[in-house]
Amino acid sequence: MSKETFAFTSSTLRSLRLQREWLEWEERRRAASRQSASRRYQPVARSLLSLPKPTKRPQYCRDPAVHNALYTGDLARIRSIFKDEATANLTVETLSEELVWSPEQGLWVLTPQKKHTSPLRITAARGYQDCVKHLLLQGAEVDAVVGGKAALHDSCANHRAECSRLLLSYSANPNILSEEGLAPLHLCTTQETLPCAHLLLEYGALVNQNTRDRRVSPLHVAAKHGLDDHVQLYLCYGAKIDHRNREGETALNTACASADRPEEAGRYYRVVKRLLESGADVWVAGRKNHTPLHNACSNCHFRIVELLLQQGAEVNVSNCAGYTPVDCALQAVEDYLDGEPERVIALLLNHGAAPINPKMLKFCALSPLTMEIILNSFDRILSCDYWFGSVSPEVWQEHQLFYDSAIGLVNQPRPLQHLARCAVRKQLGKRCHHGIAQLQLPSSLQDYLYLPFEGYLK
């Protein structure tokens, strides 16, 4: 057993308290002696008891039995162990094996890592409300940051609303920062944490408080995780919708960039819609000069792309690498083959996207529908060399009709009907998406102008 590990019996605790009191008295006596020596000709006017108390050294507990009582919420044992302020503020030390890179061995190795926490953090994170209350009544410091976080950080991150309410009622600071510079509101990252976010704001949490390093606001966090209810709550409390983080991104940039999972598309669409309805700027460019439209196109998110274009997003703006939104969409085609990337490309072209560089066709070689849309936007096919080698034999065999038709039209004149379509679309430009419907043409010709999918080129 370590010399800093206690056997938690009544006699041991009584001995510990007596020893601590004697050490504090001895340190005060020595401090008084030093002060007397430095002021030899001045009488000591103050009592030794009035001298400042020395800083308390943290006391560590590594006893597995105590750990087990805390992690299981055993209230009876916790009451028998934690009977005063000293024990309530112990630092609980655990040891776990973690993978750490070893430069000497050139590989990842399991290395023992010490982690520190507190009884209050452990019980608050697990929702043991009665245990939390007992520790607070015994003098546990409600805002103590042990192991990088305070108890309120843990209760909010683990959506323990009742424990959060209890801590706040005992004057926990709703804006306390962890060692990483995060406030409790920044840790409300799931739908289940909404009640905790409500509580924090009711008790005075700053809705526009930024993280220390990246200057991320709670609104950014909610947008990143697709939390529409959190976004609405923060906006009601006055969240700044135009606030930029250290990389220059607004919450709208963040939401569009984070919508990278098709199964979560609906959540992020609602967040983007709410931000736009609240006045978010679709033109703001963040990291690498990516606009929200660049980010949405990189995720091939059709509904968000459509929403941004309806709000006036610029379809031909370039990022720092010279890529337009349609270029970003093309580079993401292979990652979202099941997400109908052809619809995103068609939407961008119908909103006036500039002619696509033939060199970009290699990115959509595995999506015949996307390839068809793009090739039909040209008035002629000059070469297939840019994308021919990128098509796998399996895909070529499955869509042989389309690929054979594309190869057969290289350097061949397109039909007059197709040339007329190109001329009309060029004339309409950015108005294609709604201008075609206003033309006095049969519905079949209107459909033809929208570049429908036919499975082959002619």
Side-chain angles (χ1 to χ4, degrees):
M1 180 177 291
S2 170
K3 64 180 181 180
E4 294 182 47
T5 302
F6 328 121
F8 280 92
T9 63
S10 57
S11 60
T12 301
L13 292 176
R14 184 165 54 255
S15 175
L16 176 64
R17 286 195 295 271
L18 291 173
Q19 183 181 16
R20 188 184 68 250
E21 291 172 359
W22 183 86
L23 288 173
E24 289 177 352
W25 180 85
E26 182 66 14
E27 289 186 13
R28 288 198 298 271
R29 186 187 66 78
R30 291 178 180 177
S33 298
R34 288 194 297 271
Q35 186 177 31
S36 177
S38 62
R39 299 180 180 181
R40 184 173 302 174
Y41 301 106
Q42 298 181 10
V44 178
R46 294 185 296 170
S47 169
L48 294 180
L49 296 177
S50 66
L51 294 172
K53 294 183 179 180
T55 304
K56 295 182 180 179
R57 296 178 60 187
Q59 298 177 3
Y60 297 91
C61 171
R62 306 181 182 91
D63 195 323
V66 179
H67 295 183
N68 185 63
L70 291 169
Y71 283 104
T72 60
D74 189 338
L75 182 59
R77 294 205 62 193
I78 288 175
R79 284 175 173 170
S80 68
I81 295 171
F82 301 96
K83 295 182 177 180
D84 55 20
E85 182 179 350
T87 54
N89 288 294
L90 289 173
T91 296
V92 178
E93 184 175 282
T94 59
L95 195 66
S96 61
E97 299 283 343
E98 292 187 2
L99 280 174
V100 177
W101 177 256
S102 173
E104 296 81 7
Q105 301 181 47
L107 47 80
W108 293 89
V109 295
L110 282 173
T111 305
Q113 296 290 330
K114 291 182 180 179
K115 290 186 178 180
H116 292 160
T117 183
S118 68
L120 196 61
R121 282 192 60 190
I122 295 172
T123 52
R126 284 153 183 79
Y128 302 142
Q129 185 179 353
D130 292 337
C131 299
V132 171
K133 187 173 183 179
H134 173 76
L135 292 168
L136 290 171
L137 290 174
Q138 298 308 310
E141 296 180 17
V142 71
D143 285 332
V145 176
V146 183
K149 293 179 182 176
L152 191 58
H153 290 113
D154 291 302
S155 65
C156 290
N158 292 280
H159 49 86
R160 308 296 184 182
E162 292 307 316
C163 284
S164 296
R165 185 189 302 275
L166 182 59
L167 292 168
L168 290 166
S169 69
Y170 274 77
S171 301
N173 179 6
N175 299 302
I176 188 170
L177 294 181
S178 68
E179 288 184 358
E180 295 180 347
L182 305 178
L185 210 54
H186 296 124
L187 299 177
C188 294
T189 59
T190 63
Q191 183 61 35
E192 293 79 10
T193 61
L194 184 62
C196 292
H198 272 285
L199 283 169
L200 290 169
L201 291 169
E202 289 173 6
Y203 277 84
L206 302 175
V207 73
N208 290 307
Q209 185 174 15
N210 299 323
T211 59
R212 184 186 298 125
D213 296 330
R214 297 185 58 230
R215 300 189 67 249
V216 172
S217 70
L219 189 63
H220 280 89
V221 174
K224 178 180 179 179
H225 293 90
L227 304 176
D228 180 39
D229 292 333
H230 288 67
V231 169
Q232 182 180 11
L233 174 66
Y234 298 156
L235 290 173
C236 288
Y237 271 83
K240 296 180 180 178
I241 201 166
D242 57 348
H243 170 72
R244 298 191 185 197
N245 61 19
R246 193 169 297 281
E247 294 177 335
E249 295 182 337
T250 64
L252 181 60
N253 293 96
T254 302
C256 293
S258 302
D260 56 353
R261 296 182 180 179
E263 64 272 16
E264 298 177 350
R267 292 169 46 195
Y268 287 96
Y269 173 79
R270 291 190 293 273
V271 169
V272 171
K273 185 177 181 181
R274 188 174 299 280
L275 291 171
L276 290 172
E277 290 173 348
S278 300
D281 189 350
V282 297
W283 287 71
V284 173
R287 183 172 57 90
K288 297 182 180 180
N289 286 339
H290 275 232
T291 65
L293 187 59
H294 281 96
N295 291 329
C297 288
S298 295
N299 295 323
C300 282
H301 199 309
F302 175 79
R303 295 182 68 197
I304 293 182
V305 170
E306 184 179 38
L307 196 57
L308 294 171
L309 291 172
Q310 289 172 354
Q311 296 296 316
E314 174 53 51
V315 74
N316 288 315
V317 65
S318 298
N319 61 18
C320 63
Y323 292 131
T324 63
V326 72
D327 293 330
C328 292
L330 286 171
Q331 294 177 64
V333 167
E334 290 188 16
D335 295 327
Y336 295 95
L337 290 175
D338 296 330
E340 299 181 308
E342 67 276 1
R343 296 180 64 202
V344 175
I345 300 298
L347 186 63
L348 294 168
L349 291 172
N350 287 333
H351 278 76
I356 295 172
N357 188 335
K359 293 181 180 180
M360 301 295 291
L361 290 175
K362 62 182 179 182
F363 293 110
C364 61
L366 300 181
S367 175
L369 292 178
T370 305
M371 182 75 71
E372 180 181 347
I373 286 287
I374 297 174
L375 292 180
N376 274 333
S377 69
F378 300 150
D379 58 4
R380 61 190 182 278
I381 301 176
L382 297 178
S383 175
C384 294
D385 294 341
Y386 295 114
W387 58 268
F388 180 84
S390 301
V391 183
S392 65
E394 295 79 12
V395 175
W396 189 286
Q397 184 176 0
E398 182 180 357
H399 303 279
Q400 186 170 2
L401 178 61
F402 167 75
Y403 290 115
D404 285 347
S405 66
I407 295 295
L409 286 175
V410 174
N411 294 320
Q412 297 296 318
R414 300 293 296 270
L416 182 60
Q417 185 181 27
H418 174 74
L419 296 177
R421 173 169 63 179
C422 291
V424 172
R425 289 179 58 85
K426 183 177 180 181
Q427 183 65 29
L428 289 174
K430 295 181 179 181
R431 297 172 296 164
C432 276
H433 62 287
H434 61 76
I436 291 175
Q438 298 175 4
L439 297 177
Q440 299 299 316
L441 294 173
S443 58
S444 59
L445 286 179
Q446 289 183 355
D447 292 340
Y448 180 72
L449 289 173
Y450 281 119
L451 305 178
F453 307 114
E454 297 178 303
Y456 61 93
L457 299 179
K458 58 182 181 180

Short mmCIF file of all heavy atoms in Angstrom, two decimals, residues 73 85 93 123-124 131 154 405 423 433 435 456:
data_model
loop_
_atom_site.label_atom_id
_atom_site.label_comp_id
_atom_site.label_asym_id
_atom_site.label_seq_id
_atom_site.Cartn_x
_atom_site.Cartn_y
_atom_site.Cartn_z
N GLY A 73 -21.91 4.29 -6.61
CA GLY A 73 -22.90 5.12 -5.91
C GLY A 73 -23.40 4.49 -4.63
O GLY A 73 -24.58 4.62 -4.27
N GLU A 85 -14.46 17.60 5.64
CA GLU A 85 -13.98 18.35 4.47
C GLU A 85 -12.73 17.73 3.88
O GLU A 85 -12.55 17.69 2.65
CB GLU A 85 -13.70 19.80 4.88
CG GLU A 85 -13.23 20.68 3.73
CD GLU A 85 -12.98 22.12 4.15
OE1 GLU A 85 -13.35 22.47 5.29
OE2 GLU A 85 -12.42 22.88 3.34
N GLU A 93 -7.02 8.93 -7.48
CA GLU A 93 -6.05 8.60 -8.52
C GLU A 93 -6.32 7.20 -9.06
O GLU A 93 -6.42 6.24 -8.29
CB GLU A 93 -4.63 8.69 -7.98
CG GLU A 93 -3.56 8.45 -9.04
CD GLU A 93 -2.16 8.66 -8.50
OE1 GLU A 93 -1.76 9.84 -8.37
OE2 GLU A 93 -1.48 7.67 -8.18
N THR A 123 -19.24 11.08 -8.81
CA THR A 123 -20.66 10.89 -8.51
C THR A 123 -21.55 11.78 -9.38
O THR A 123 -22.63 11.35 -9.78
CB THR A 123 -20.92 11.16 -7.02
OG1 THR A 123 -20.37 12.46 -6.67
CG2 THR A 123 -20.26 10.11 -6.15
N ALA A 124 -21.09 12.99 -9.67
CA ALA A 124 -21.89 13.89 -10.52
C ALA A 124 -21.99 13.36 -11.94
O ALA A 124 -23.04 13.47 -12.59
CB ALA A 124 -21.29 15.30 -10.52
N CYS A 131 -25.42 11.04 -3.33
CA CYS A 131 -23.99 11.03 -3.02
C CYS A 131 -23.39 12.42 -3.21
O CYS A 131 -22.57 12.87 -2.40
CB CYS A 131 -23.28 10.01 -3.89
SG CYS A 131 -23.84 8.31 -3.67
N ASP A 154 -18.67 17.53 -15.73
CA ASP A 154 -19.03 16.11 -15.89
C ASP A 154 -20.53 15.91 -15.90
O ASP A 154 -21.05 15.11 -16.69
CB ASP A 154 -18.39 15.29 -14.77
CG ASP A 154 -16.88 15.20 -14.90
OD1 ASP A 154 -16.41 14.74 -15.93
OD2 ASP A 154 -16.18 15.61 -13.96
N SER A 405 -21.52 5.17 -75.52
CA SER A 405 -22.09 6.33 -76.22
C SER A 405 -21.20 7.56 -76.05
O SER A 405 -21.06 8.38 -76.96
CB SER A 405 -23.50 6.62 -75.71
OG SER A 405 -23.49 7.02 -74.35
N ALA A 423 -27.58 26.45 -76.02
CA ALA A 423 -27.71 27.89 -76.27
C ALA A 423 -28.74 28.52 -75.33
O ALA A 423 -28.51 29.62 -74.79
CB ALA A 423 -28.11 28.12 -77.73
N HIS A 433 -32.78 27.68 -63.14
CA HIS A 433 -33.57 26.91 -62.19
C HIS A 433 -35.02 27.33 -62.14
O HIS A 433 -35.90 26.54 -61.83
CB HIS A 433 -32.95 27.01 -60.79
CG HIS A 433 -32.91 28.40 -60.24
ND1 HIS A 433 -32.04 29.35 -60.70
CD2 HIS A 433 -33.64 29.00 -59.26
CE1 HIS A 433 -32.22 30.47 -60.02
NE2 HIS A 433 -33.19 30.29 -59.16
N GLY A 435 -36.11 30.00 -64.65
CA GLY A 435 -36.43 30.63 -65.94
C GLY A 435 -36.99 29.64 -66.95
O GLY A 435 -37.84 30.00 -67.78
N TYR A 456 -27.65 7.35 -71.48
CA TYR A 456 -26.74 7.33 -72.64
C TYR A 456 -26.71 8.74 -73.21
O TYR A 456 -27.53 9.60 -72.87
CB TYR A 456 -27.22 6.33 -73.69
CG TYR A 456 -28.58 6.63 -74.27
CD1 TYR A 456 -28.72 7.38 -75.42
CD2 TYR A 456 -29.75 6.16 -73.64
CE1 TYR A 456 -29.96 7.68 -75.95
CE2 TYR A 456 -30.99 6.44 -74.15
CZ TYR A 456 -31.10 7.20 -75.30
OH TYR A 456 -32.35 7.49 -75.82
#
